[in-house]
Amino acid sequence: MPRKLAAGNWKMHGLARDLSELDRLAADHSVPGCDVVVCPPATLLGPAAARLEGTAIALGGQDCHFAASGAHTGDISAGMLRDAGARHVILGHSERRADHGEDDATIAAKMAAAHAAGLIAILCLGETEAERDAGATIEVVGKQLAAGLDADADADNTVIAYEPVWAIGTGRTPTEAQIAEVHGFLRSTLTGRLGDAGEAVRLLYGGSVKPANAAEIFAITDVDGALVGGASLKAADFSAIIAALEAA
Ligand code: 13P
């Protein structure tokens, strides 16, 4: 059984004053029964790392470039994230796919860059509502998974987050059966590709996870944690989600 993981994605939220939420989180979870990572905006990584030193809360970036360095104004490399104190990086988030036109090949290159820099990559995938309505969910996530995994991906350096696009920030969540179907498919695809190691890859669910629905979601087979957006911004809410995961 892989150790469970609660990951918070702050997206484009957070100023220096919001770092106090991390103090509360670290105090609430000094010896957490699961892994906990917070992915603040890049501007806060350095100060957040200083603040979280000696705590059980890890840090992650929200994206990285696929090159190690170079003339890429505004971009950040995986090595820079690591240098700033991150141990994880979210890649292939649907907001990056939509806002920045990231395709599977770009995401695979970023996965390889993250792994080369020693980061744990959290690969996001998920269908749009139109794709679900068309009955294409499994096909879509299967393609994203196959294309996004780089040659170095293993259970230690890779986490998969299933985030249906229509559930992100909407307050809507899939049924338990819908989550179980996708996670079961992801698990069998991963064991097909990685053998026994596929059993140990953490499969997170993301999309409108809240304190009120967390326990129900964590009870689903092959859900090893969550990637939490809005509810990760306030320590009280994220703490309650972490507690639900610890109890699952
Ligand atoms: P919400 O939890 O705000 O729906 O966001 C989910 C998400 O996109 C996390 O990466």
Side-chain angles (χ1 to χ4, degrees), residues 82-174:
R82 185 147 180 145
D83 185 53
R87 290 294 171 269
H88 301 70
V89 61
I90 297 169
L91 292 174
H93 194 283
S94 60
E95 288 151 15
R96 301 253 0 139
R97 294 179 193 257
D99 294 355
H100 299 274
E102 289 191 10
D103 59 14
D104 287 328
T106 305
I107 293 160
K110 291 181 175 204
M111 291 284 291
H115 289 152
L119 293 173
I120 297 171
I122 302 174
L123 172 64
C124 301
L125 33 88
E127 81 287 0
T128 62
E129 184 154 37
E131 287 165 341
R132 175 161 285 279
D133 290 348
T137 298
I138 294 296
E139 183 192 331
V140 167
V141 299
K143 184 174 161 290
Q144 291 171 333
L145 181 64
L149 287 179
D150 62 306
D152 292 333
D154 62 29
D156 293 326
N157 68 15
T158 303
V159 175
I160 307 297
Y162 169 53
E163 299 206 306
V165 179
W166 52 272
I168 294 175
T170 59
R172 297 166 60 201
T173 51

Side-chain angles (χ1 to χ4, degrees), residues 9 11 93 95 163 167-169 207-209 227-230:
N9 175 9
K11 308 191 180 185
H93 194 283
E95 288 151 15
E163 299 206 306
I168 294 175
S208 297
V209 177
L227 181 55
V228 183

Side-chain angles (χ1 to χ4, degrees), residues 43-67:
T43 48
L44 293 182
L45 273 175
R51 204 121 169 179
L52 289 175
E53 206 178 326
T55 75
I57 314 296
L59 275 175
Q62 297 179 12
D63 176 51
C64 69
H65 197 276
F66 52 78

